[in-house]
Amino acid sequence: MSKIYDAVIVGGGIIGCSIAFQLVKRGLRVLVIEKERMISEASSAAAGMLGAQSEFSSDSPMIPLALKSRAMFPQLADELKELTRIDIGLVQKGLIKLAFTESELCELQQQYQFWKTLDSSVRWLQRTELHELEPNVTAEVSGAMYIPNDGQVRAGDLSLAFAKAASVSGAEIREYTEVVSFVTENDQVRGVVTKSEFIYADNVIVAVGAWSAKLLRETGIELQMHPVKGECLSVITEQPLLQATVFAKNGCYIVPKWGNRLLIGATSIANTFHKHVSVQGIYRLLERAQQIMPQLAEAKWEKTWAGIRPQTGDGLPYIGEHPIYKGLWMATGHYRNGILLSPITGVLVADLITKGKHENMNLSSFQLSRKNGITLIT
Ligand code: FAD
Ligand code: GLY
């Protein structure tokens, strides 16, 4: 009989790799299985914003997770650097949300009203203040809100650092291997089935992002999971034009990256797994980005790309055990916030597996069995 792992993680994106890192730290024998190359899907396409406040305008069960996860980044950056020598590019220079139209202004004011009661560091900016902070952002805005604690990282480097940290700490990684089904015995998972073999494990964690529904159908449940394509581009400028990330209410954001790069994102195209970049998508992003910063017209073109976000029916990720099979865990559906939520998701899932619980977080909203979470296939 082949080796039995304590945990097999299906999916080599940021969520699978963060969980792998936390599980090997707790002494488990871990295997990560990825159908393509590691970090080749959403996790390498992401802008890397840590938008724990910018992504939420009203109360949500995700907010405690998002705030906790964002707070983990400084220590995590040091830990990963020490283990892997990879610098995840943590930048803590804040995020400015912008409104241009009357209706965007109204929405932004509502978002500000929500956050100002919870966090006095969130500020409404007058035009002069916006100009002082970011002189290259147009004065044509109708409103601006400053969130000093929403930072950013290099998403691909963070994902790789998790993978490498897991690997140097003892995890095995297998690429170009697709999991097609699960080994089960009564109500217990016993491993996974790939196209060529059975691999046995006491726990299986499904972290396959937008591809989760297809795989979970094999276990008799239907997840509410929709792929949402996001297209991005990057340009390079002669001089640095931005300090903070700027994020317009119409969905266009500009994230300053190393080497005077500006990452401009992102479109949201529902129900497609095709990662082609469309002329229309890039054209609209460029129009919006130039409205925010007219100097962009002079920037040097670098590249475009796209990734597939995993969106659930109610917008909340699935974090928890399968309703039928013990030892089968889900960590998926992080939609727009998988980079931000990767540190906390790794810790939560590792604690659930090794301790059976997590002391500090109420995870009921993320269980598969929540209202409208899944349907059983009869
Ligand atoms: P993925 O990275 O997609 O990884 C899943 C992996 O599972 C893939 O590698 C896939 O090949 C593998 N897989 C699938 N099926 C199988 C199988 N049967 N067997 C084996 N392997 C399999 N989030 C933020 O927090 N901040 C941002 O600024 C941000 N910006 C974004 C911008 C864009 C354009 C996009 C597209 C996303 C952005 N996100 C952002 C969201 C974030 O990228 C995702 O939430 C996150 O990457 C999801 O990680 P994952 O590991 O679940 O999925
Ligand atoms: N969080 C940014 C995006 O998903 O585009």
Side-chain angles (χ1 to χ4, degrees), residues 165-193:
S167 161
V168 297
S169 309
E172 291 175 40
I173 290 177
R174 208 176 292 183
E175 296 183 302
Y176 301 112
T177 305
E178 182 172 354
V179 169
V180 291
S181 177
F182 302 90
V183 186
T184 56
E185 193 178 286
N186 302 319
D187 63 352
Q188 179 71 43
V189 78
R190 296 284 180 214
V192 297
V193 184

Side-chain angles (χ1 to χ4, degrees), residues 7-11 33 178-195 197-208 211-221 223 320 322-332 368:
V8 163
I9 296 164
V10 189
I33 303 181
E178 182 172 354
V179 169
V180 291
S181 177
F182 302 90
V183 186
T184 56
E185 193 178 286
N186 302 319
D187 63 352
Q188 179 71 43
V189 78
R190 296 284 180 214
V192 297
V193 184
T194 73
K195 286 190 168 163
E197 63 180 321
F198 293 80
I199 300 173
Y200 296 94
D202 294 332
N203 294 279
V204 173
I205 302 103
V206 178
V208 297
W211 294 266
S212 307
K214 181 174 166 231
L215 193 54
L216 265 288
R217 238 168 257 138
E218 295 296 318
T219 67
I221 64 170
L223 290 187
H322 193 280
I324 303 171
Y325 296 109
K326 293 196 179 65
L328 181 54
W329 303 87
M330 298 292 304
T332 186
L368 282 78

